[in-house]
């Protein structure tokens, strides 16, 4: 399995996150990817390659052009306005009290494009987010070229990013960009399996009215867990996409036995869909000691479910999502990949 990775993810090194009413060091930080790459090297899993670089046209297949322009210029505009801290939303459009027009002033504009105010933007954020999409696209190209599997070690993650909104540490939706690239390269149906603790609300919203992408997400119940406002089991897609969106919302304290039963149902749904390719949004924040989740998976469980995914026998791209700064993040990611490879 080829591993796509670049040290330039470190360009995204924000110092502030809004959490519990305080500005704290971000849970999404450079050491996350370092734990993973160090464990890959230690166990000698796969061959590590650099990403190819792509122009913006592939990202524009799933993202709004004005939104990408905002991401590219946000930090410079924030500094030009004289703000001293990192760019973080202080206001946002509210239900029934909004015009669907981005303000000129950057403080209003960042709120317009923001879906969660915990995520700050600083120098290097755009460059790292663009590179993460390149990492995902390189993996997509490998799958389209006939490889059985690949792992795109993306950072920052992407599954909360919508067509024109950022948040949850996500700016460009790496999995969605990769899925669209696979379709553009000849696939007729692509499945996305999101195993991150948090619902992939951005991915769901991008493909919600489409039948060429099946989205299945296992996650903490949105009544109890971020991102809160999407992720219910009754959200099945709309229009041509009805029946192509499946959510498995699970309660606090969920153990592997319960979680893996939901996974089995998702895998059957993927089989019935007849996907040409599978993208796994690989968040390992389902781990029992993750600092911002409430599932109870143990490290050995990740090996077990990697083998379950392999049993589908579908070309598979793993795209890194969440799993926060505990050392076991590396162990758990590599356990999934080894479970997949050894099946």
């Amino acid at each position: 399995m080829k591993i796509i990775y670049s040290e330039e993810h470190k360009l995204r090194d924000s110092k502030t996150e809004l959490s519990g009413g305080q500005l704290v060091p971000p849970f999404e930080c450079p050491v996350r990817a370092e734990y993973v790459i160090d464990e890959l090297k230690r166990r000698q899993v796969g061959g590590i390659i650099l990403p190819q670089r792509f122009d913006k046209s592939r990202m524009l297949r799933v993202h709004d052009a004005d939104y990408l322009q905002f991401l590219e210029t946000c930090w410079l505009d924030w500094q030009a306005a004289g703000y001293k801290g990192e760019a973080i939303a202080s206001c946002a459009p509210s239900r029934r009290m909004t015009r669907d027009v981005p303000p000129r002033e950057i403080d209003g504009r960042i709120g317009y494009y923001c879906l969660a105010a915990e995520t700050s933007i600083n120098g290097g954020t755009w460059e790292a987010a663009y590179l993460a999409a390149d990492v995902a696209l390189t993996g997509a190209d490998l799958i389209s070229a006939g490889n059985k599997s690949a792992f795109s070690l993306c950072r920052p993650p992407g599954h909360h990013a919508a067509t024109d909104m950022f948040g949850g540490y996500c700016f460009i939706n790496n999995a969605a960009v990769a899925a669209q690239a696979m379709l553009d390269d000849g696939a007729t149906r692509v499945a996305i399996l999101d195993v991150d603790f948090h619902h992939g609300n951005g991915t769901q919203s991008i493909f919600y009215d489409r039948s060429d992408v099946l989205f299945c997400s296992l996650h903490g119940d949105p009544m109890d867990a971020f991102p809160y406002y999407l992720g219910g089991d009754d959200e099945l897609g709309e229009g041509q996409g009805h029946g192509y969106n499946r959510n498995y919302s699970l309660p606090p304290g969920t153990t592997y036995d319960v979680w893996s039963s939901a996974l089995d149902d998702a895998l059957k749904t993927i089989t019935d869909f007849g996907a040409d390719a599978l993208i796994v949004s690989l968040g390992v924040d389902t781990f029992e000691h993750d600092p911002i989740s409430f599932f109870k998976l143990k490290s050995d469980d990740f090996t077990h479910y990697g083998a379950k995914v392999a049993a589908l026998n579908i070309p598979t791209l793993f795209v890194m999502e969440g799993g926060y700064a505990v050392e076991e993040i590396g162990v758990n990611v590599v356990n999934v990949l080894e479970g997949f490879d050894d099946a």
Side-chain angles (χ1 to χ4, degrees):
M1 180 185 300
K2 287 188 171 65
I3 314 297
I4 307 100
Y5 172 73
S6 170
E7 290 283 335
E8 292 185 45
H9 74 86
K10 295 175 184 177
L11 291 168
R12 168 67 182 165
D13 191 13
S14 181
K15 303 303 181 185
T16 51
E17 172 180 335
L18 182 61
S19 177
Q22 296 179 298
L23 288 176
V24 301
F27 292 100
E28 202 294 294
C29 53
V31 73
R32 296 178 58 248
E34 293 165 21
Y35 284 144
V36 176
I37 202 70
D38 288 349
E39 186 69 11
L40 286 164
K41 291 177 179 177
R42 188 184 74 80
R43 289 202 239 172
Q44 299 181 330
V45 174
I48 299 169
I49 64 172
L50 291 170
Q52 302 174 54
R53 302 310 306 260
F54 298 88
D55 65 44
K56 209 182 294 183
S57 61
R58 290 204 179 190
M59 298 167 209
L60 288 168
R61 295 284 288 137
V62 298
H63 285 294
D64 178 78
D66 288 343
Y67 168 67
L68 292 183
Q69 180 67 20
F70 157 76
L71 288 179
E72 187 170 2
T73 61
C74 175
W75 177 242
L76 293 176
D77 291 346
W78 184 263
Q79 289 182 305
Y83 296 114
K84 302 302 181 187
E86 294 181 318
I88 192 164
S90 62
C91 58
S94 303
R95 286 172 294 166
R96 303 180 302 278
M97 297 179 67
T98 182
R99 297 189 314 138
D100 193 18
V101 179
R104 281 189 297 270
E105 212 284 331
I106 186 60
D107 185 45
R109 207 163 357 118
I110 191 171
Y112 178 85
Y113 288 114
C114 181
L115 61 84
E118 88 289 43
T119 300
S120 61
I121 291 176
N122 69 339
T125 293
W126 164 251
E127 291 81 2
Y130 195 118
L131 183 71
D134 283 343
V135 169
L137 285 166
T138 302
D141 279 5
L142 288 171
I143 299 300
S144 296
N147 286 266
K148 174 188 174 185
S149 61
F151 173 40
S152 291
L153 180 42
C154 298
R155 185 184 166 268
H159 72 151
H160 296 308
T163 299
D164 59 355
M165 287 184 282
F166 76 95
Y169 317 132
C170 301
F171 305 94
I172 297 173
N173 195 309
N174 305 311
V177 168
Q180 185 62 57
M182 290 176 178
L183 292 167
D184 292 343
D185 285 341
T188 58
R189 289 188 160 196
V190 176
I192 300 175
L193 173 65
D194 193 324
V195 294
D196 190 282
F197 169 77
H198 303 94
H199 178 244
N201 54 338
T203 312
Q204 171 173 307
S205 69
I206 288 169
F207 296 115
Y208 202 61
D209 61 353
R210 291 173 54 171
S211 60
D212 53 353
V213 177
L214 170 70
F215 180 63
C216 296
S217 178
L218 287 68
H219 52 266
D221 191 319
M223 295 299 289
D224 302 303
F226 181 91
Y228 300 116
Y229 308 111
L230 286 180
D233 293 3
D234 59 344
E235 296 162 18
L236 301 175
E238 63 184 14
Q240 292 184 355
H242 185 76
Y244 297 95
N245 195 88
R246 293 292 303 274
N247 288 322
Y248 303 83
S249 56
L250 300 166
T254 291
T255 61
Y256 183 64
D257 287 346
V258 174
W259 189 91
S260 64
S261 293
L263 177 66
D264 289 343
D265 191 84
L267 295 177
K268 181 181 183 304
T269 300
I270 291 167
T271 298
D272 293 344
F273 177 64
D276 300 312
L278 172 65
I279 295 172
V280 178
S281 276
L282 182 57
V284 295
D285 43 1
T286 49
F287 179 56
E288 60 182 338
H289 299 308
D290 191 274
I292 56 174
S293 75
F294 54 59
F295 287 173
K296 300 300 178 184
L297 274 63
K298 302 180 184 300
S299 289
D300 289 347
D301 297 332
F302 293 88
T303 306
H304 190 257
Y305 84 66
K308 283 177 176 267
V309 174
L312 292 175
N313 196 29
I314 300 172
T316 300
L317 173 64
F318 294 90
V319 174
M320 189 72 201
E321 300 287 1
Y324 298 98
V326 292
E327 288 190 35
E328 290 92 343
I329 184 176
V331 172
N332 297 336
V333 167
V334 179
N335 281 358
V336 173
L337 301 181
E338 284 198 331
F340 181 93
D341 272 349
D342 293 344

mmCIF file of all heavy atoms in Angstrom, residues 301-342:
data_model
loop_
_atom_site.group_PDB
_atom_site.id
_atom_site.type_symbol
_atom_site.label_atom_id
_atom_site.label_comp_id
_atom_site.label_asym_id
_atom_site.label_seq_id
_atom_site.Cartn_x
_atom_site.Cartn_y
_atom_site.Cartn_z
ATOM 1 N N ASP A 301 -9.236 -3.452 18.158
ATOM 2 C CA ASP A 301 -10.465 -3.365 17.371
ATOM 3 C C ASP A 301 -10.210 -2.751 15.997
ATOM 4 O O ASP A 301 -10.891 -3.089 15.023
ATOM 5 C CB ASP A 301 -11.499 -2.527 18.118
ATOM 6 C CG ASP A 301 -11.917 -3.140 19.444
ATOM 7 O OD1 ASP A 301 -11.853 -4.373 19.581
ATOM 8 O OD2 ASP A 301 -12.308 -2.368 20.351
ATOM 9 N N PHE A 302 -9.238 -1.858 15.909
ATOM 10 C CA PHE A 302 -8.952 -1.209 14.634
ATOM 11 C C PHE A 302 -8.398 -2.218 13.620
ATOM 12 O O PHE A 302 -8.722 -2.150 12.435
ATOM 13 C CB PHE A 302 -7.998 -0.041 14.851
ATOM 14 C CG PHE A 302 -8.614 1.082 15.633
ATOM 15 C CD1 PHE A 302 -8.557 1.099 17.022
ATOM 16 C CD2 PHE A 302 -9.278 2.113 14.998
ATOM 17 C CE1 PHE A 302 -9.142 2.123 17.758
ATOM 18 C CE2 PHE A 302 -9.871 3.144 15.715
ATOM 19 C CZ PHE A 302 -9.806 3.144 17.102
ATOM 20 N N THR A 303 -7.586 -3.161 14.088
ATOM 21 C CA THR A 303 -7.104 -4.229 13.206
ATOM 22 C C THR A 303 -8.267 -5.064 12.697
ATOM 23 O O THR A 303 -8.358 -5.390 11.509
ATOM 24 C CB THR A 303 -6.113 -5.126 13.970
ATOM 25 O OG1 THR A 303 -5.077 -4.338 14.538
ATOM 26 C CG2 THR A 303 -5.514 -6.176 13.051
ATOM 27 N N HIS A 304 -9.166 -5.369 13.591
ATOM 28 C CA HIS A 304 -10.312 -6.220 13.259
ATOM 29 C C HIS A 304 -11.184 -5.575 12.188
ATOM 30 O O HIS A 304 -11.595 -6.228 11.223
ATOM 31 C CB HIS A 304 -11.118 -6.503 14.531
ATOM 32 C CG HIS A 304 -12.176 -7.542 14.358
ATOM 33 N ND1 HIS A 304 -13.514 -7.227 14.223
ATOM 34 C CD2 HIS A 304 -12.095 -8.898 14.271
ATOM 35 C CE1 HIS A 304 -14.211 -8.336 14.080
ATOM 36 N NE2 HIS A 304 -13.385 -9.366 14.105
ATOM 37 N N TYR A 305 -11.466 -4.272 12.349
ATOM 38 C CA TYR A 305 -12.364 -3.696 11.347
ATOM 39 C C TYR A 305 -11.647 -3.378 10.043
ATOM 40 O O TYR A 305 -12.280 -3.330 8.980
ATOM 41 C CB TYR A 305 -13.179 -2.539 11.912
ATOM 42 C CG TYR A 305 -12.619 -1.142 11.960
ATOM 43 C CD1 TYR A 305 -12.333 -0.406 10.804
ATOM 44 C CD2 TYR A 305 -12.454 -0.491 13.189
ATOM 45 C CE1 TYR A 305 -11.885 0.894 10.860
ATOM 46 C CE2 TYR A 305 -12.012 0.822 13.254
ATOM 47 C CZ TYR A 305 -11.727 1.514 12.087
ATOM 48 O OH TYR A 305 -11.294 2.811 12.144
ATOM 49 N N GLY A 306 -10.316 -3.219 10.079
ATOM 50 C CA GLY A 306 -9.586 -3.109 8.820
ATOM 51 C C GLY A 306 -9.772 -4.338 7.955
ATOM 52 O O GLY A 306 -9.946 -4.241 6.731
ATOM 53 N N ALA A 307 -9.779 -5.524 8.591
ATOM 54 C CA ALA A 307 -9.993 -6.775 7.857
ATOM 55 C C ALA A 307 -11.417 -6.848 7.315
ATOM 56 O O ALA A 307 -11.649 -7.360 6.209
ATOM 57 C CB ALA A 307 -9.708 -7.962 8.764
ATOM 58 N N LYS A 308 -12.381 -6.336 8.068
ATOM 59 C CA LYS A 308 -13.767 -6.327 7.592
ATOM 60 C C LYS A 308 -13.901 -5.495 6.317
ATOM 61 O O LYS A 308 -14.605 -5.875 5.371
ATOM 62 C CB LYS A 308 -14.698 -5.766 8.672
ATOM 63 C CG LYS A 308 -15.046 -6.712 9.813
ATOM 64 C CD LYS A 308 -15.915 -5.982 10.834
ATOM 65 C CE LYS A 308 -16.385 -6.902 11.944
ATOM 66 N NZ LYS A 308 -17.697 -7.499 11.652
ATOM 67 N N VAL A 309 -13.238 -4.341 6.295
ATOM 68 C CA VAL A 309 -13.290 -3.490 5.106
ATOM 69 C C VAL A 309 -12.640 -4.191 3.918
ATOM 70 O O VAL A 309 -13.154 -4.156 2.790
ATOM 71 C CB VAL A 309 -12.619 -2.134 5.390
ATOM 72 C CG1 VAL A 309 -12.531 -1.294 4.115
ATOM 73 C CG2 VAL A 309 -13.375 -1.368 6.472
ATOM 74 N N ALA A 310 -11.531 -4.870 4.170
ATOM 75 C CA ALA A 310 -10.842 -5.575 3.082
ATOM 76 C C ALA A 310 -11.713 -6.659 2.467
ATOM 77 O O ALA A 310 -11.612 -6.938 1.264
ATOM 78 C CB ALA A 310 -9.539 -6.176 3.605
ATOM 79 N N ALA A 311 -12.585 -7.273 3.276
ATOM 80 C CA ALA A 311 -13.423 -8.363 2.785
ATOM 81 C C ALA A 311 -14.402 -7.905 1.702
ATOM 82 O O ALA A 311 -14.930 -8.735 0.955
ATOM 83 C CB ALA A 311 -14.176 -9.003 3.948
ATOM 84 N N LEU A 312 -14.629 -6.604 1.581
ATOM 85 C CA LEU A 312 -15.466 -6.097 0.494
ATOM 86 C C LEU A 312 -14.828 -6.345 -0.868
ATOM 87 O O LEU A 312 -15.516 -6.393 -1.887
ATOM 88 C CB LEU A 312 -15.706 -4.593 0.661
ATOM 89 C CG LEU A 312 -16.564 -4.126 1.832
ATOM 90 C CD1 LEU A 312 -16.584 -2.599 1.885
ATOM 91 C CD2 LEU A 312 -17.986 -4.669 1.717
ATOM 92 N N ASN A 313 -13.501 -6.413 -0.896
ATOM 93 C CA ASN A 313 -12.746 -6.624 -2.137
ATOM 94 C C ASN A 313 -13.055 -5.532 -3.162
ATOM 95 O O ASN A 313 -13.314 -5.793 -4.340
ATOM 96 C CB ASN A 313 -13.047 -8.011 -2.729
ATOM 97 C CG ASN A 313 -12.017 -8.420 -3.769
ATOM 98 O OD1 ASN A 313 -10.853 -8.012 -3.698
ATOM 99 N ND2 ASN A 313 -12.431 -9.222 -4.720
ATOM 100 N N ILE A 314 -13.020 -4.291 -2.672
ATOM 101 C CA ILE A 314 -13.216 -3.115 -3.527
ATOM 102 C C ILE A 314 -11.950 -2.264 -3.444
ATOM 103 O O ILE A 314 -11.391 -2.104 -2.353
ATOM 104 C CB ILE A 314 -14.415 -2.275 -3.034
ATOM 105 C CG1 ILE A 314 -15.706 -3.087 -3.050
ATOM 106 C CG2 ILE A 314 -14.583 -1.016 -3.888
ATOM 107 C CD1 ILE A 314 -16.883 -2.378 -2.404
ATOM 108 N N PRO A 315 -11.449 -1.724 -4.556
ATOM 109 C CA PRO A 315 -10.307 -0.801 -4.466
ATOM 110 C C PRO A 315 -10.605 0.310 -3.461
ATOM 111 O O PRO A 315 -11.656 0.953 -3.531
ATOM 112 C CB PRO A 315 -10.176 -0.262 -5.892
ATOM 113 C CG PRO A 315 -10.766 -1.346 -6.750
ATOM 114 C CD PRO A 315 -11.896 -1.921 -5.947
ATOM 115 N N THR A 316 -9.670 0.527 -2.526
ATOM 116 C CA THR A 316 -9.969 1.350 -1.350
ATOM 117 C C THR A 316 -8.906 2.405 -1.113
ATOM 118 O O THR A 316 -7.711 2.098 -1.031
ATOM 119 C CB THR A 316 -10.092 0.462 -0.098
ATOM 120 O OG1 THR A 316 -11.151 -0.490 -0.294
ATOM 121 C CG2 THR A 316 -10.381 1.297 1.143
ATOM 122 N N LEU A 317 -9.370 3.636 -0.977
ATOM 123 C CA LEU A 317 -8.511 4.743 -0.579
ATOM 124 C C LEU A 317 -8.864 5.146 0.853
ATOM 125 O O LEU A 317 -10.015 5.506 1.135
ATOM 126 C CB LEU A 317 -8.712 5.944 -1.508
ATOM 127 C CG LEU A 317 -7.997 7.238 -1.099
ATOM 128 C CD1 LEU A 317 -6.477 7.053 -1.131
ATOM 129 C CD2 LEU A 317 -8.430 8.409 -1.974
ATOM 130 N N PHE A 318 -7.893 5.079 1.747
ATOM 131 C CA PHE A 318 -8.055 5.583 3.098
ATOM 132 C C PHE A 318 -7.609 7.046 3.122
ATOM 133 O O PHE A 318 -6.516 7.378 2.639
ATOM 134 C CB PHE A 318 -7.209 4.771 4.090
ATOM 135 C CG PHE A 318 -7.650 3.347 4.250
ATOM 136 C CD1 PHE A 318 -7.121 2.342 3.437
ATOM 137 C CD2 PHE A 318 -8.586 2.998 5.202
ATOM 138 C CE1 PHE A 318 -7.522 1.021 3.582
ATOM 139 C CE2 PHE A 318 -8.998 1.682 5.359
ATOM 140 C CZ PHE A 318 -8.461 0.684 4.541
ATOM 141 N N VAL A 319 -8.456 7.897 3.671
ATOM 142 C CA VAL A 319 -8.172 9.324 3.773
ATOM 143 C C VAL A 319 -8.202 9.703 5.244
ATOM 144 O O VAL A 319 -9.213 9.490 5.921
ATOM 145 C CB VAL A 319 -9.202 10.156 2.980
ATOM 146 C CG1 VAL A 319 -8.979 11.650 3.207
ATOM 147 C CG2 VAL A 319 -9.116 9.828 1.488
ATOM 148 N N MET A 320 -7.121 10.271 5.749
ATOM 149 C CA MET A 320 -7.027 10.593 7.170
ATOM 150 C C MET A 320 -7.996 11.710 7.543
ATOM 151 O O MET A 320 -8.047 12.752 6.889
ATOM 152 C CB MET A 320 -5.597 11.018 7.517
ATOM 153 C CG MET A 320 -5.338 11.168 9.008
ATOM 154 S SD MET A 320 -5.290 9.583 9.833
ATOM 155 C CE MET A 320 -5.630 10.065 11.528
ATOM 156 N N GLU A 321 -8.757 11.453 8.618
ATOM 157 C CA GLU A 321 -9.637 12.465 9.189
ATOM 158 C C GLU A 321 -9.182 12.762 10.627
ATOM 159 O O GLU A 321 -8.092 13.270 10.826
ATOM 160 C CB GLU A 321 -11.105 11.999 9.132
ATOM 161 C CG GLU A 321 -11.629 11.711 7.735
ATOM 162 C CD GLU A 321 -11.886 12.942 6.873
ATOM 163 O OE1 GLU A 321 -11.646 14.078 7.321
ATOM 164 O OE2 GLU A 321 -12.330 12.756 5.713
ATOM 165 N N GLY A 322 -9.997 12.417 11.630
ATOM 166 C CA GLY A 322 -9.693 12.785 13.001
ATOM 167 C C GLY A 322 -8.935 11.729 13.776
ATOM 168 O O GLY A 322 -8.473 10.713 13.246
ATOM 169 N N GLY A 323 -8.864 11.955 15.069
ATOM 170 C CA GLY A 323 -8.024 11.184 15.970
ATOM 171 C C GLY A 323 -7.008 12.172 16.507
ATOM 172 O O GLY A 323 -6.219 12.735 15.738
ATOM 173 N N TYR A 324 -7.084 12.423 17.790
ATOM 174 C CA TYR A 324 -6.401 13.613 18.294
ATOM 175 C C TYR A 324 -5.149 13.254 19.068
ATOM 176 O O TYR A 324 -4.727 12.109 19.082
ATOM 177 C CB TYR A 324 -7.430 14.542 18.945
ATOM 178 C CG TYR A 324 -8.379 14.942 17.859
ATOM 179 C CD1 TYR A 324 -9.605 14.311 17.674
ATOM 180 C CD2 TYR A 324 -7.956 15.824 16.866
ATOM 181 C CE1 TYR A 324 -10.397 14.596 16.577
ATOM 182 C CE2 TYR A 324 -8.739 16.114 15.773
ATOM 183 C CZ TYR A 324 -9.954 15.490 15.634
ATOM 184 O OH TYR A 324 -10.708 15.756 14.525
ATOM 185 N N ALA A 325 -4.476 14.242 19.628
ATOM 186 C CA ALA A 325 -3.050 14.118 19.917
ATOM 187 C C ALA A 325 -2.751 13.226 21.118
ATOM 188 O O ALA A 325 -2.259 13.672 22.138
ATOM 189 C CB ALA A 325 -2.428 15.497 20.097
ATOM 190 N N VAL A 326 -3.070 11.945 20.965
ATOM 191 C CA VAL A 326 -2.572 10.912 21.863
ATOM 192 C C VAL A 326 -1.698 9.991 21.023
ATOM 193 O O VAL A 326 -1.967 9.791 19.837
ATOM 194 C CB VAL A 326 -3.718 10.130 22.538
ATOM 195 C CG1 VAL A 326 -4.478 11.033 23.512
ATOM 196 C CG2 VAL A 326 -4.677 9.538 21.514
ATOM 197 N N GLU A 327 -0.674 9.439 21.616
ATOM 198 C CA GLU A 327 0.294 8.663 20.840
ATOM 199 C C GLU A 327 -0.353 7.488 20.119
ATOM 200 O O GLU A 327 0.111 7.074 19.050
ATOM 201 C CB GLU A 327 1.419 8.176 21.749
ATOM 202 C CG GLU A 327 2.368 9.286 22.192
ATOM 203 C CD GLU A 327 3.605 8.749 22.888
ATOM 204 O OE1 GLU A 327 4.086 7.664 22.501
ATOM 205 O OE2 GLU A 327 4.083 9.414 23.816
ATOM 206 N N GLU A 328 -1.411 6.943 20.698
ATOM 207 C CA GLU A 328 -2.044 5.768 20.097
ATOM 208 C C GLU A 328 -2.664 6.056 18.736
ATOM 209 O O GLU A 328 -3.048 5.126 18.017
ATOM 210 C CB GLU A 328 -3.114 5.206 21.038
ATOM 211 C CG GLU A 328 -2.573 4.548 22.292
ATOM 212 C CD GLU A 328 -2.464 5.513 23.465
ATOM 213 O OE1 GLU A 328 -2.505 6.753 23.222
ATOM 214 O OE2 GLU A 328 -2.331 5.052 24.603
ATOM 215 N N ILE A 329 -2.785 7.310 18.363
ATOM 216 C CA ILE A 329 -3.329 7.606 17.038
ATOM 217 C C ILE A 329 -2.518 6.887 15.957
ATOM 218 O O ILE A 329 -3.082 6.327 15.010
ATOM 219 C CB ILE A 329 -3.383 9.127 16.774
ATOM 220 C CG1 ILE A 329 -4.038 9.416 15.416
ATOM 221 C CG2 ILE A 329 -2.029 9.772 16.828
ATOM 222 C CD1 ILE A 329 -4.212 10.897 15.119
ATOM 223 N N GLY A 330 -1.205 6.856 16.104
ATOM 224 C CA GLY A 330 -0.373 6.165 15.124
ATOM 225 C C GLY A 330 -0.614 4.670 15.139
ATOM 226 O O GLY A 330 -0.763 4.029 14.086
ATOM 227 N N VAL A 331 -0.664 4.090 16.323
ATOM 228 C CA VAL A 331 -0.914 2.655 16.462
ATOM 229 C C VAL A 331 -2.248 2.289 15.828
ATOM 230 O O VAL A 331 -2.350 1.313 15.070
ATOM 231 C CB VAL A 331 -0.898 2.255 17.952
ATOM 232 C CG1 VAL A 331 -1.348 0.800 18.133
ATOM 233 C CG2 VAL A 331 0.491 2.460 18.546
ATOM 234 N N ASN A 332 -3.276 3.068 16.104
ATOM 235 C CA ASN A 332 -4.618 2.716 15.646
ATOM 236 C C ASN A 332 -4.776 2.864 14.141
ATOM 237 O O ASN A 332 -5.420 2.032 13.491
ATOM 238 C CB ASN A 332 -5.651 3.552 16.397
ATOM 239 C CG ASN A 332 -5.647 3.259 17.888
ATOM 240 O OD1 ASN A 332 -5.225 2.190 18.312
ATOM 241 N ND2 ASN A 332 -6.096 4.216 18.675
ATOM 242 N N VAL A 333 -4.190 3.907 13.567
ATOM 243 C CA VAL A 333 -4.237 4.052 12.112
ATOM 244 C C VAL A 333 -3.519 2.887 11.436
ATOM 245 O O VAL A 333 -4.046 2.260 10.501
ATOM 246 C CB VAL A 333 -3.609 5.390 11.676
ATOM 247 C CG1 VAL A 333 -3.353 5.405 10.171
ATOM 248 C CG2 VAL A 333 -4.505 6.557 12.062
ATOM 249 N N VAL A 334 -2.328 2.566 11.902
ATOM 250 C CA VAL A 334 -1.565 1.490 11.268
ATOM 251 C C VAL A 334 -2.239 0.140 11.504
ATOM 252 O O VAL A 334 -2.196 -0.748 10.636
ATOM 253 C CB VAL A 334 -0.101 1.505 11.753
ATOM 254 C CG1 VAL A 334 0.688 0.375 11.101
ATOM 255 C CG2 VAL A 334 0.547 2.848 11.407
ATOM 256 N N ASN A 335 -2.899 -0.032 12.638
ATOM 257 C CA ASN A 335 -3.650 -1.265 12.847
ATOM 258 C C ASN A 335 -4.733 -1.444 11.789
ATOM 259 O O ASN A 335 -4.944 -2.554 11.278
ATOM 260 C CB ASN A 335 -4.281 -1.270 14.243
ATOM 261 C CG ASN A 335 -3.292 -1.619 15.334
ATOM 262 O OD1 ASN A 335 -2.133 -1.904 15.066
ATOM 263 N ND2 ASN A 335 -3.748 -1.597 16.577
ATOM 264 N N VAL A 336 -5.449 -0.376 11.453
ATOM 265 C CA VAL A 336 -6.460 -0.475 10.395
ATOM 266 C C VAL A 336 -5.817 -0.889 9.079
ATOM 267 O O VAL A 336 -6.289 -1.808 8.398
ATOM 268 C CB VAL A 336 -7.214 0.862 10.219
ATOM 269 C CG1 VAL A 336 -8.143 0.796 9.008
ATOM 270 C CG2 VAL A 336 -8.011 1.216 11.464
ATOM 271 N N LEU A 337 -4.726 -0.235 8.725
ATOM 272 C CA LEU A 337 -4.083 -0.523 7.437
ATOM 273 C C LEU A 337 -3.514 -1.937 7.406
ATOM 274 O O LEU A 337 -3.634 -2.643 6.386
ATOM 275 C CB LEU A 337 -2.983 0.495 7.179
ATOM 276 C CG LEU A 337 -3.423 1.970 7.145
ATOM 277 C CD1 LEU A 337 -2.230 2.886 6.856
ATOM 278 C CD2 LEU A 337 -4.538 2.208 6.140
ATOM 279 N N GLU A 338 -2.908 -2.377 8.494
ATOM 280 C CA GLU A 338 -2.381 -3.750 8.541
ATOM 281 C C GLU A 338 -3.512 -4.771 8.534
ATOM 282 O O GLU A 338 -3.405 -5.822 7.893
ATOM 283 C CB GLU A 338 -1.494 -3.939 9.769
ATOM 284 C CG GLU A 338 -0.112 -3.312 9.633
ATOM 285 C CD GLU A 338 0.888 -3.854 10.643
ATOM 286 O OE1 GLU A 338 0.455 -4.260 11.740
ATOM 287 O OE2 GLU A 338 2.091 -3.853 10.329
ATOM 288 N N GLY A 339 -4.601 -4.479 9.252
ATOM 289 C CA GLY A 339 -5.737 -5.378 9.215
ATOM 290 C C GLY A 339 -6.276 -5.518 7.809
ATOM 291 O O GLY A 339 -6.642 -6.618 7.370
ATOM 292 N N PHE A 340 -6.302 -4.416 7.071
ATOM 293 C CA PHE A 340 -6.755 -4.435 5.689
ATOM 294 C C PHE A 340 -5.789 -5.231 4.810
ATOM 295 O O PHE A 340 -6.193 -6.096 4.034
ATOM 296 C CB PHE A 340 -6.883 -2.997 5.181
ATOM 297 C CG PHE A 340 -7.376 -2.878 3.764
ATOM 298 C CD1 PHE A 340 -8.722 -2.720 3.496
ATOM 299 C CD2 PHE A 340 -6.481 -2.893 2.696
ATOM 300 C CE1 PHE A 340 -9.190 -2.598 2.195
ATOM 301 C CE2 PHE A 340 -6.940 -2.774 1.385
ATOM 302 C CZ PHE A 340 -8.292 -2.627 1.142
ATOM 303 N N ASP A 341 -4.501 -4.944 4.919
ATOM 304 C CA ASP A 341 -3.496 -5.580 4.071
ATOM 305 C C ASP A 341 -3.351 -7.077 4.340
ATOM 306 O O ASP A 341 -3.059 -7.862 3.431
ATOM 307 C CB ASP A 341 -2.140 -4.901 4.254
ATOM 308 C CG ASP A 341 -1.951 -3.712 3.333
ATOM 309 O OD1 ASP A 341 -2.771 -3.537 2.409
ATOM 310 O OD2 ASP A 341 -0.994 -2.943 3.548
ATOM 311 N N ASP A 342 -3.533 -7.480 5.604
ATOM 312 C CA ASP A 342 -3.299 -8.861 5.989
ATOM 313 C C ASP A 342 -4.507 -9.755 5.787
ATOM 314 O O ASP A 342 -4.432 -10.975 5.976
ATOM 315 C CB ASP A 342 -2.863 -8.943 7.463
ATOM 316 C CG ASP A 342 -1.491 -8.302 7.681
ATOM 317 O OD1 ASP A 342 -0.758 -8.086 6.688
ATOM 318 O OD2 ASP A 342 -1.165 -8.015 8.843
#
